[in-house]
Amino acid sequence: MFRSRELAQDDYGAPRAAAVALRSPAGFGTSSRPDPGNRLMQLKARHAQLGTILAKSDWAVDLADDIGSARWFRGLSTLAAISTLAIAMAPADNTLRSAPAMAIDAAAQDEFRSQMIQPMALGSDSGRRMGATSAVIPLASAPQRRAVQLTATLGQGDSFSRMLERAGLGAGDAAQVERMISGVASPSTFAPGTQVDITLGQPADGASTRPLEKLAFRARFDLDLSVSRSPAGLILTQHLIRVDTTPLRIRGTVGSGIFRSARASGAPIEAIQQYLQVIDQHLSLDTEVLPGDTFDMIVAYRRSANGESKVGELLYAGLERSGKPEAQLLRWGGEGQFFEASGMGSQRTGLLMPVVGHITSTFGARRHPILGYTRMHAGVDFGAPYGSAIYAVGDATVNFSGWHGGHGNYVRLNHGGGYATGYGHMSRIAVAAGTRVRAGQVIGYVGSTGLSTGPHLHYELYQNGVPVNPLSVRFTVSNQVDAAELAAFKKRLSALQQVPAGVAMASLAPRQAVVGTAAGREIDRLGD
């Protein structure tokens, strides 16, 4: 019935206190005190058993494996169920109000409120809209401002009278003002964005709109208009502005870049852009404009007495090197084209280049870079930067302008006498079919359209419909004009070249009179 347990020994090997374990035989009651060791073993066994069950059930799986299988969706369901349970058991975020630390009566609340920093617009010191009390007495009529000043802006496609009505004028005043202004300047010529300063008076009793008291705006660069009310009605007044039209001339030395040099000389950006476009059509900005050259540009320019200025179109573009002109380009004729002064009234014979560039492929049989087999190359290829200007090699009529298969964007010119030229792979075409072009006129820009491996110009020459080598034909370009037109051209060129540089940049605004004429040093006048 009894069984001895192993005895613990002390440090010297002697048995410690004897311990006897009572073992209950089968059929007898167990001890009233549970064994902690057995309890722990039982918990571990149950935990292992639960783990075995979960492992066999295969509900908790690695979602990175077997994506899309039935096992993967079973694991996804387990994750969704656990997440839903966690969200459902999450504690609620309820605000619990607590009692103030001290009791505050009405007098204390009013004192605190008077010391707050809050908006003053909707309720004095509290910042809240207050309800009316018995102390509030309603007004019989609300007072109105004697005059209202505002600014109206003319929109795109808007009419002048409709703009005035939106600003608050009555239909009668708006229509009358438009009729008065139309007698001086057409409202349709007013630029969108024109601002009109308006002053409205106090409305009459029972009137819903205010009468016009005063109106003023800039009608043109040289004209201000104003409308005011007098006892006799509305009166229109014109204020002419003194305007000077002396062209603006800017000269300077080319440094590291012509754009920066021109800006440093005070040239407007609009003038520089026009100058570069014109010069680029006759000279290469990369290779033929060098540091130390002198640029010369003249643009139409208007300046008014109130200090405003307006830049117009480019009139003259020049470039000098060592005191000698490299380019003298003058705008001439109704089409606004630029002509070289040295070539006006003369003729040139030679090989004219359609683009500023270098030859990359000559006329004759060659292996096509895209198709891969040898065939006839019926032209000459000129390598040039993308967007470079392409020029007509002679006076001609545009026979074709548009897409032309492997040529891409293509232009064909008929020069007469059985000669025609073709220009292919353009990025953009600048002429239309049926138009007349002159030698040196821009007809398009270098691109890489069609069967092309990079930006270049494919230039062709046809004689009686048969392609020939473009480098074997010399064109004669004639700029012969009658004596009267040549004299007018030279006179215009001489007049522009006599304009002093920078004279148009001086202000026309009247100077204020200088008070006092005492001479001497400033420090000597401090004691006066």
Side-chain angles (χ1 to χ4, degrees):
M1 173 178 284
F2 296 95
R3 185 181 63 175
S4 61
R5 302 179 62 186
E6 295 180 358
L7 300 179
Q9 297 180 353
D10 57 13
D11 296 338
Y12 300 95
R16 292 184 179 177
V20 179
L22 180 62
R23 180 180 181 187
S24 301
F28 287 83
T30 60
S31 175
S32 60
R33 296 176 62 185
D35 188 355
N38 293 339
R39 181 64 176 172
L40 180 60
M41 294 297 292
Q42 292 175 1
L43 291 175
K44 289 183 178 180
R46 290 179 181 176
H47 183 269
Q49 184 180 7
L50 180 60
T52 303
I53 295 173
L54 291 177
K56 292 181 178 180
S57 63
D58 200 19
W59 283 97
V61 300
D62 187 356
L63 294 180
D65 297 335
D66 299 333
I67 298 176
S69 63
R71 179 174 176 271
W72 184 84
F73 279 106
R74 186 164 59 250
L76 183 63
S77 302
T78 303
L79 177 62
I82 295 174
S83 301
T84 303
L85 181 62
I87 295 174
M89 297 180 64
D93 185 13
N94 296 328
T95 302
L96 300 178
R97 297 187 178 183
S98 60
M102 57 180 291
I104 301 177
D105 56 7
Q109 290 182 0
D110 186 69
E111 180 67 20
F112 289 157
R113 186 180 63 179
S114 64
Q115 298 180 17
M116 292 180 181
I117 302 176
Q118 294 189 4
M120 303 289 290
L122 298 178
S124 185
D125 53 3
S126 69
R128 297 187 177 184
R129 190 180 300 275
M130 296 182 178
T133 64
S134 58
V136 175
I137 302 175
L139 295 175
S141 61
Q144 295 188 14
R145 296 172 58 184
R146 183 182 177 278
V148 175
Q149 295 180 346
L150 50 92
T151 300
T153 303
L154 184 65
Q156 183 75 33
D158 200 0
S159 68
F160 198 80
S161 60
R162 187 165 56 246
M163 176 200 65
L164 296 180
E165 291 183 22
R166 285 199 310 270
L169 271 72
D173 284 350
Q176 183 179 358
V177 169
E178 186 171 24
R179 287 195 302 269
M180 296 171 65
I181 292 175
S182 299
V184 178
S186 174
S188 61
T189 61
F190 300 157
T194 300
Q195 293 187 338
V196 182
D197 296 328
I198 301 174
T199 301
L200 301 178
Q202 190 171 5
D205 295 339
S208 58
T209 58
R210 292 175 175 268
L212 175 65
E213 289 291 333
K214 187 177 181 181
L215 178 149
F217 70 102
R218 170 66 57 86
R220 291 195 310 263
F221 188 79
D222 59 346
L223 178 64
D224 279 347
L225 294 179
S226 64
V227 178
S228 58
R229 185 174 295 276
S230 68
L234 295 177
I235 299 177
L236 175 66
T237 305
Q238 303 182 40
H239 305 275
L240 296 177
I241 303 173
R242 180 190 170 196
V243 175
D244 181 72
T245 58
T246 302
L248 174 62
R249 186 178 189 182
I250 303 293
R251 287 176 58 89
T253 303
V254 178
S256 59
I258 191 170
F259 183 87
R260 291 187 177 182
S261 302
R263 284 295 291 159
S265 300
I269 294 179
E270 304 93 321
I272 300 175
Q273 292 174 342
Q274 296 182 65
Y275 176 82
L276 293 178
Q277 291 176 359
V278 172
I279 290 293
D280 186 51
Q281 295 178 7
H282 295 79
L283 298 174
S284 173
L285 296 177
D286 297 328
T287 60
E288 298 186 72
V289 179
L290 305 177
D293 292 349
T294 300
F295 62 86
D296 190 1
M297 65 181 73
I298 304 177
V299 295
Y301 193 72
R302 292 195 297 169
R303 52 189 177 134
S304 63
N306 58 6
E308 295 182 355
S309 60
K310 189 173 182 180
V311 179
E313 62 183 9
L314 183 71
L315 303 177
Y316 173 81
L319 186 72
E320 300 175 5
R321 181 173 301 157
S322 301
K324 297 181 180 179
E326 291 291 322
Q328 291 182 317
L329 303 169
L330 177 67
R331 185 185 293 272
W332 188 255
E335 298 178 359
Q337 295 187 12
F338 281 84
F339 293 88
E340 171 63 46
S342 60
M344 194 67 173
S346 63
Q347 67 179 20
R348 293 176 298 162
T349 300
L351 179 63
L352 303 181
M353 305 297 286
V355 68
V356 178
H358 59 283
I359 297 176
T360 59
S361 183
T362 57
F363 181 86
R366 68 163 187 175
R367 183 179 179 84
H368 197 278
I370 295 180
L371 301 179
Y373 56 86
T374 301
R375 71 172 187 175
M376 182 64 181
H377 184 228
V380 176
D381 290 345
F382 292 89
Y386 189 94
S388 300
I390 301 173
Y391 311 103
V393 297
D395 297 345
T397 301
V398 181
N399 275 2
F400 181 86
S401 175
W403 188 267
H404 191 258
H407 287 146
N409 290 326
Y410 180 79
V411 170
R412 187 161 182 170
L413 304 180
N414 182 12
H415 300 274
Y419 287 97
T421 53
Y423 310 78
H425 305 308
M426 294 183 178
S427 62
R428 183 162 58 91
I429 297 174
V431 291
T435 58
R436 183 74 180 171
V437 296
R438 296 183 179 180
Q441 180 177 339
V442 176
I443 60 175
Y445 301 90
V446 171
S448 186
T449 55
L451 291 178
S452 172
T453 58
H456 72 283
L457 169 66
H458 176 74
Y459 172 54
E460 299 175 339
L461 176 63
Y462 294 89
Q463 184 177 11
N464 297 322
V466 178
V468 296
N469 188 356
L471 302 181
S472 64
V473 177
R474 300 293 188 265
F475 280 89
T476 298
V477 178
S478 177
N479 286 331
Q480 297 293 336
V481 294
D482 58 70
E485 184 177 2
L486 182 59
F489 180 89
K490 292 183 177 181
K491 182 179 179 180
R492 175 63 171 168
L493 177 63
S494 176
L496 290 178
Q497 290 180 338
Q498 306 242 345
V499 175
V503 67
M505 300 183 70
S507 176
L508 290 179
R511 297 182 179 181
Q512 296 182 355
V514 179
V515 180
T517 58
R521 298 180 302 170
E522 183 69 21
I523 193 172
D524 297 334
R525 297 197 296 269
L526 294 178
D528 295 345

